[in-house]
């Protein structure tokens, strides 16, 4: 059961990041992939391991000069079936 739940969590988040990458390409953002964007974030903007998930998304939007990540957050934040991430997941980024 736990393995199924983990697989569902990975699948949900993969879907979100695929949607984000698609939106970045549509908007002709500076960074064409999530990997490029996160690499830039790690190099310039990660100030602490205590940054909230919302702060992280805001930084990604600032770097990409889009509202892709906060828009996705607003789209999914109230879903009860969406997997919850803990602070340690954000710290790993």
């Amino acid at each position: 059961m736990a393995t199924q739940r983990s697989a569902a969590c990975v699948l949900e988040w993969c879907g979100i990041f695929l949607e984000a990458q698609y939106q970045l390409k549509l908007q002709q953002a500076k960074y064409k992939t999530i990997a490029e964007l996160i690499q830039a974030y790690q190099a310039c903007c990660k100030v602490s391991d205590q940054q909230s998930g919302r702060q992280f998304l805001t930084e990604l939007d600032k770097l990409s000069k889009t509202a892709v990540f906060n828009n996705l957050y607003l789209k999914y934040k109230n879903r009860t079936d969406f997997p919850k991430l803990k602070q340690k997941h954000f710290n790993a980024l």
Side-chain angles (χ1 to χ4, degrees):
M1 183 74 155
T3 303
Q4 285 178 329
R5 201 171 313 144
S6 294
C9 181
V10 168
L11 184 60
E12 290 278 344
W13 281 102
C14 285
I16 296 298
F17 281 106
L18 284 173
E19 186 174 348
Q21 187 153 317
Y22 175 73
Q23 290 297 324
L24 286 174
K25 286 183 181 182
L26 276 181
Q27 296 184 27
Q28 300 179 341
K30 178 180 178 181
Y31 302 98
K32 299 299 182 202
T33 68
I34 302 295
E36 288 177 6
L37 184 58
I38 290 177
Q39 186 176 26
Y41 165 79
Q42 289 174 324
C44 77
C45 309
K46 185 175 180 182
V47 292
S48 87
D49 287 341
Q50 301 306 313
Q51 189 176 39
S52 73
R54 191 68 190 266
Q55 291 169 323
F56 171 65
L57 296 176
T58 298
E59 290 299 323
L60 292 182
D61 279 343
K62 284 180 187 175
L63 275 173
S64 65
K65 296 184 172 127
T66 69
V68 167
F69 296 93
N70 274 297
N71 286 345
L72 287 172
Y73 169 79
L74 294 172
K75 179 177 177 179
Y76 290 102
K77 75 175 186 167
N78 292 323
R79 286 186 50 176
T80 58
D81 62 333
F82 196 77
K84 303 285 186 214
L85 292 180
K86 296 184 168 113
Q87 186 64 42
K88 68 180 181 178
H89 297 113
F90 293 103
N91 294 346
L93 295 172

